[in-house]
Amino acid sequence: MRMRISPSFGSAMASSFTVCRLHTIGRGSLAKCLQKVDTFLHRNIGTNVVAVQEKNGFKSLYAVQAERQEQAEKSVLISCHSRTNEQKFLKYIANYGDIQKYFFYESYGMYAVVEFANQESVASLLEGTAIPSISHESLVPFKSRLLSMRNLDAVDLPNQSSGKKRQAQTSIPINELIQRLSKEESIDQQITSLTEAYQLTEENCRLRFLVCSLLKDIAAAFFPECTIMPFGSSVNGFGKLGCDLDMFLDLDGISGKNATMPKSGLFLEYQMKRANLERIVTQNILSVIGECVDQFGPGCVGVQKILNARCPLVRFVHQPSGFQCDLTANNRVAMKSTELLYLYGELDPRVRHLVFTVRCWARAHSITSSIPGAWISNFSLTVMVLFFLQRRSPPIIPTLDHLRDLAGPEDKCVIEDNDCTFVSDFSKIQLESNTETLEQLLCEFFEFYSSFSFRTLSINIRKGKEQNKPEVAPLHIQNPFETTLNVSKNVNASQLDRFVALCQESSWLIQQNKTAPSRGGTKAKGAITPWGVSTLLLPSQVAGIKSRKRRKFEPASERIKSLLESLKNINKELN
């Protein structure tokens, strides 16, 4: 028997389903590995499978996508007894091949993700796996890489009493986050700490790709050689613990689609049914796959076929992982948007830190919401941050038009008459020297949008400058690729007014609380006073806004009195 555990094992994993608690179980010899994992891996996830590319120390989005998909194909997901003996579990699994990596987590029960060194080991494991025999229930014998472990001794997994730490991987409660941030020494450290607390972890990324791979096994029954890959927040580097899993069914890689037609002689082609519109084909494909997921997909519940939406999709919950999943089959512009956000996030670490902080602030004040409505979306908010960074002097990130001008012939991309071309080679992008700190940028972000003329101007990261609104809407943010679309068309006037008022208040708050309070004094032991970024996450003093006029601040003495009272109350809650 051989068993090998790679030292590059990641640091944690997470669930995106709000009712699920997900834990990584500490492993004696692996504890040090968890601390040494390269944080670069936490964000480098791709969306297309092409030749591996690495420039100037940057892994391209394509390269990491290919690496993640290869890992997923060599992995299995196993439901375990909650009191499974870990050593016996590993000894049994290792009989089928070398174990590359593994981790345990909790969703609806205890689960283990096991990655083997090769796919042959997965095939060997599946050959030795039995179909369950239940006399009173009819079962469809659908085989997948989602398995259940049975008949193991009931022995507790390691816990804190044995010195092995159990780490919760859902997003920490806002009060806990405020307390953590209040202990930092600078606003820059607070912003970095917030990002580390909320970003997707190595194991979470692995599980997302594994779920895509398991779903591909179902779709491959109808479309051999198809690919299902994640896009959006799961892979663009801005995903928060708890975000949905958006998946794209790609049929373009099927062999024969781009075969060269001979000039003469005999040749063969597949017979296929035809439809009048590509949209109808997409709807039919998703309808069939959605039905199969509903009837035969292990662990897939609450399946909804939303086929008449602008972008048809199948929505369901994957219980073993806890992810809320959306599957689409014709959403290539969204794939390019994912790639663009990934690129911006890799150009300068301040981009990701600022996006995470602004998004957390927005969710704390209900500017954004997971429920569809008139709220500003996370994508719109991210574009607003990117636009702000383009407007710095000098700019921190380039405009999309500049990235298009740097593109080579291999980058050319037109989707449904939309120019989606931009450079993919990091070495061609020369950034200007901007040395502003995270603290400066956060303060300036709130000031920038406190006085932005939303009434007349549109936000456009393609040009990197304000433009006159092309339509009547409270908030106009141009889609980077489908330039005739307003990605914030759903936002109403009252929501925009709340956003502006909160920017005004946050700008004032952070100016008044830029310095960490003294750790000495006569405060009760363990008492922590919120300051800096943590004050921005406290309940707002902004009341209902009825007009678009700039809010008049009450006298400073009254506001300080109100703020101190608020801080006093939150301090009581935290302690």
Side-chain angles (χ1 to χ4, degrees):
M1 179 191 76
R2 295 175 299 166
M3 180 172 71
R4 179 170 63 86
I5 307 298
S6 171
S8 62
F9 184 76
S11 63
M13 117 132 268
S15 159
S16 70
F17 196 49
T18 55
V19 301
C20 131
R21 288 189 59 79
L22 189 59
H23 303 279
T24 297
I25 311 304
R27 316 269 173 238
S29 62
L30 295 179
K32 294 181 181 179
C33 300
L34 295 175
Q35 298 170 358
K36 295 179 180 179
V37 65
D38 186 352
T39 56
F40 187 70
L41 291 175
H42 288 206
R43 60 181 185 274
N44 284 2
I45 308 109
T47 57
N48 293 297
V49 180
V50 297
V52 171
Q53 174 189 20
E54 189 167 352
K55 298 284 185 178
N56 295 338
F58 289 99
K59 273 190 176 181
S60 75
L61 177 134
Y62 307 137
V64 182
Q65 172 77 13
E67 180 182 320
R68 295 286 187 186
Q69 288 182 319
E70 182 182 0
Q71 291 169 349
E73 293 296 324
K74 298 184 295 183
S75 301
V76 295
L77 181 57
I78 303 175
S79 173
C80 306
H81 192 282
S82 61
R83 294 167 64 85
T84 294
N85 183 297
E86 179 187 356
Q87 295 305 317
K88 289 187 177 181
F89 170 86
L90 291 175
K91 183 177 180 180
Y92 175 83
I93 297 298
N95 285 324
Y96 295 96
D98 290 349
I99 298 176
Q100 195 81 357
K101 296 177 179 67
Y102 78 97
F103 57 90
F104 290 80
Y105 70 92
E106 289 183 33
S107 182
Y108 290 85
M110 182 70 70
Y111 288 87
V113 173
V114 179
E115 179 193 336
F116 288 100
N118 51 60
Q119 290 187 355
E120 288 74 19
S121 297
V122 175
S124 176
L125 176 65
L126 296 181
E127 286 177 5
T129 301
I131 297 291
S133 176
I134 305 177
S135 58
H136 65 279
E137 187 176 346
S138 299
L139 296 176
V140 177
F142 176 79
K143 291 184 176 181
S144 77
R145 284 175 289 139
L146 174 58
L147 310 169
S148 295
M149 181 65 73
R150 303 294 184 195
N151 299 326
L152 293 182
D153 295 339
V155 179
D156 282 328
L157 280 169
N159 53 36
Q160 289 186 350
S161 62
S162 63
K164 299 178 180 180
K165 186 177 179 183
R166 178 186 293 245
Q167 300 177 356
Q169 292 302 307
T170 51
S171 295
I172 64 175
I174 194 69
N175 282 354
E176 249 182 72
L177 180 64
I178 291 172
Q179 197 168 24
R180 177 186 297 188
L181 300 185
S182 299
K183 296 177 181 178
E184 300 294 348
E185 298 297 329
S186 69
I187 289 180
D188 278 42
Q189 289 176 6
Q190 287 183 328
I191 294 173
T192 302
S193 179
L194 185 150
T195 304
E196 292 172 351
Y198 271 34
Q199 68 186 354
L200 297 182
T201 58
E202 166 69 5
E203 284 87 346
N204 187 265
C205 294
R206 287 178 177 273
L207 186 59
R208 288 172 185 269
F209 275 83
L210 178 53
V211 171
C212 289
S213 183
L214 294 176
L215 195 66
K216 187 210 74 171
D217 291 344
I218 298 176
F222 299 92
F223 307 104
E225 303 173 5
C226 72
T227 301
I228 291 181
M229 61 188 90
F231 70 96
S233 292
S234 292
V235 292
N236 63 22
F238 300 106
K240 172 192 169 185
L241 291 176
C243 66
D244 294 348
L245 173 56
D246 295 312
M247 299 180 286
F248 176 74
L249 172 64
D250 187 2
L251 304 178
D252 285 353
I254 296 176
S255 59
K257 189 159 187 176
N258 299 310
T260 302
M261 302 295 290
K263 294 182 179 179
S264 61
L266 300 174
F267 69 95
L268 292 172
E269 65 179 13
Y270 293 99
Q271 287 196 13
M272 297 184 176
K273 284 196 171 184
R274 304 181 187 277
N276 294 328
L277 296 172
E278 184 178 6
R279 178 179 174 83
I280 295 176
V281 174
T282 300
Q283 289 174 323
N284 291 340
I285 289 171
L286 290 176
S287 178
V288 170
I289 293 179
E291 190 66 25
C292 288
V293 170
D294 192 17
Q295 298 296 329
F296 312 128
C300 299
V301 300
V303 178
Q304 303 175 62
K305 294 186 285 186
I306 309 173
L307 304 180
N308 292 322
R310 178 176 173 272
C311 180
L313 60 92
V314 174
R315 175 169 294 165
F316 60 95
V317 172
H318 185 257
Q319 280 191 326
S321 64
F323 295 144
Q324 168 101 26
C325 303
D326 286 348
L327 174 67
T328 63
N330 187 20
N331 198 10
R332 297 194 173 279
V333 173
M335 299 289 288
K336 292 301 290 184
S337 295
T338 298
E339 185 182 342
L340 178 66
L341 294 189
Y342 170 86
L343 184 149
Y344 275 132
E346 289 299 304
L347 289 180
D348 192 302
R350 290 173 293 180
V351 178
R352 296 181 66 251
H353 288 310
L354 194 60
V355 167
F356 269 100
T357 304
V358 171
R359 279 189 176 187
C360 181
W361 164 82
R363 179 54 64 93
H365 296 293
S366 300
I367 294 172
T368 58
S369 175
S370 58
I371 304 172
W375 298 274
I376 299 175
S377 69
N378 277 327
F379 179 73
S380 294
L381 204 59
T382 301
V383 174
M384 293 174 79
V385 174
L386 297 178
F387 181 75
F388 161 74
L389 295 175
Q390 291 174 339
R391 300 294 291 148
R392 306 310 296 154
S393 182
I396 292 177
I397 55 175
T399 66
L400 179 52
D401 276 353
H402 181 66
L403 294 178
R404 179 198 59 195
D405 295 340
L406 295 175
E410 70 280 2
D411 297 316
K412 182 70 175 177
C413 179
V414 177
I415 301 174
E416 298 175 356
D417 298 326
N418 298 302
D419 185 4
C420 301
T421 302
F422 58 89
V423 65
S424 60
D425 186 346
F426 286 95
S427 66
K428 293 182 179 180
I429 304 172
Q430 302 299 317
L431 300 177
E432 299 190 49
S433 179
N434 180 300
T435 59
E436 290 178 287
T437 65
L438 289 170
E439 176 184 332
Q440 290 174 306
L441 291 174
L442 185 62
C443 293
E444 291 294 329
F445 172 86
F446 292 125
E447 191 62 34
F448 181 81
Y449 284 112
S450 291
S451 57
F452 189 85
S453 181
F454 289 105
R455 184 182 297 277
T456 59
L457 299 179
S458 171
I459 293 171
N460 182 349
I461 64 170
R462 180 168 282 279
K463 302 293 183 185
K465 60 183 179 181
E466 299 89 345
Q467 294 187 305
N468 292 329
K469 274 187 182 180
E471 65 180 39
V472 178
L475 176 61
H476 191 280
I477 302 175
Q478 185 187 85
N479 187 301
F481 299 119
E482 298 177 282
T483 55
T484 60
L485 297 181
N486 174 13
V487 300
S488 57
K489 193 169 185 177
N490 62 299
V491 180
N492 61 29
S494 63
Q495 290 298 320
L496 179 59
D497 288 338
R498 283 193 72 251
F499 172 77
V500 172
L502 284 164
C503 282
Q504 293 170 357
E505 181 181 64
S506 297
S507 176
W508 184 89
L509 282 173
I510 203 165
Q511 291 292 339
Q512 299 299 315
N513 297 274
K514 295 175 75 171
T515 307
S518 173
R519 297 293 188 244
T522 58
K523 294 180 182 178
K525 185 177 180 180
I528 298 174
T529 301
W531 70 280
V533 175
S534 58
T535 62
L536 304 182
L537 306 180
L538 299 174
S540 170
Q541 302 298 311
V542 174
I545 305 298
K546 295 185 178 180
S547 69
R548 195 178 289 267
K549 295 180 181 178
R550 188 179 179 91
R551 186 171 67 91
K552 293 182 180 180
F553 289 116
E554 57 193 82
S557 59
E558 292 299 319
R559 285 187 55 78
I560 292 174
K561 180 179 178 181
S562 176
L563 173 63
L564 291 175
E565 188 64 29
S566 176
L567 295 178
K568 181 179 178 181
N569 292 336
I570 198 68
N571 195 41
K572 288 180 180 178
E573 293 180 13
L574 292 173
N575 294 283

